[in-house]
Amino acid sequence: MTETDATDVSDCRRCEALCDSRSRIVNGVGPTDAALLFIGEAPGRHEDEGGEPFVGRSGDVLDAALRDNGLARADVRITNCVRCRPPDNRDPTAEELSQCRGYLEREIDAVNPAAVVTLGKVPSEHLLGRSVGVTAEAGSVCEARIAGAARRVVVCVHPAATLYDPSQTEPFEASVAAAIELVEGGGDQSRLGDF
Ligand code: URA
């Protein structure tokens, strides 16, 4: 069982299809003052069962990449754009993303991370507000205004992509390493003041 925090959503019935397909709402986990906030798309079967983001095979891949860079899962914050499992693991619709957006923005605000890491196309496009070629842009640091605040967003390959396409392993691992290096190296937060 994960601990609750102020960014948790305990009940929500905004999306009929998701209310029907979910077993539970899957809130973010990890320190509420984490330097890195990883954002996935939506819970899958394992996350819906376990009540925690990224606990299935893609979670194992993410945990291993963190370990390779000297971090434990408990050192970072992990959440999703949408907190309920979509039917048949389909992508969340634009309407569902927008219904859940306020919860995500509240979490980003509360955690106030040094960098947000978007895992895959859906979260990258949702937060950057433009079309993203994830493989081509993996590891790049973008600036985005999210809920009125300037944020650094590191585009990352989704860990699940490495499971069905081994050529995605290198860009995935490199983008996680780039995000960690960015926050551990201090980065240049001051540039964001102008944004
Ligand atoms: N994929 C996601 O995008 N999120 C999860 O929590 C698990 C798999």
Side-chain angles (χ1 to χ4, degrees):
M1 210 42 197
T2 55
E3 280 176 41
T4 57
D5 63 54
T7 69
D8 282 359
V9 177
S10 57
D11 188 28
C12 179
R13 307 208 58 82
R14 293 179 187 171
C15 306
E16 199 182 336
L18 300 192
C19 287
D20 288 348
S21 63
R22 76 179 183 209
S23 315
R24 73 199 78 239
I25 294 170
V26 178
N27 289 302
V29 291
T32 46
D33 60 352
L36 281 172
L37 171 61
F38 287 81
I39 304 180
E41 182 178 311
R45 179 165 62 88
H46 296 287
E47 291 73 26
D48 181 65
E49 284 168 6
E52 180 168 335
F54 285 96
V55 289
R57 287 178 70 207
S58 43
D60 294 340
V61 174
L62 177 59
D63 291 356
L66 293 171
R67 267 197 313 275
D68 287 349
N69 288 282
L71 291 185
R73 178 183 175 85
D75 294 327
V76 302
R77 180 91 185 170
I78 308 176
T79 196
N80 280 304
C81 293
V82 162
R83 294 180 189 230
C84 302
R85 182 192 184 197
D88 304 319
N89 285 341
R90 65 157 168 73
D91 286 355
T93 63
E95 171 68 14
E96 290 160 354
L97 285 165
S98 121
Q99 292 289 6
C100 225
R101 174 88 184 197
Y103 301 138
L104 179 61
E105 290 185 350
R106 188 174 72 187
E107 187 166 14
I108 295 170
D109 253 8
V111 176
N112 191 24
V116 166
V117 186
T118 49
L119 298 169
K121 194 172 184 67
V122 168
S124 299
E125 295 191 340
H126 188 47
L127 288 176
L128 294 176
R130 62 172 172 83
S131 145
V132 176
V134 172
T135 310
E137 296 190 45
S140 64
V141 184
C142 306
E143 293 179 356
R145 186 157 280 279
I146 303 171
R151 299 283 174 197
R152 290 190 300 193
V153 176
V154 183
V155 174
C156 188
V157 168
H158 194 286
T162 68
L163 298 170
Y164 51 81
D165 179 359
S167 76
Q168 294 294 304
T169 299
E170 195 280 326
F172 166 72
E173 290 177 347
S175 45
V176 172
I180 293 171
E181 165 64 25
L182 178 71
V183 303
E184 291 193 339
D188 184 5
Q189 271 287 8
S190 61
R191 283 188 315 138
L192 290 173
D194 306 327
F195 186 65

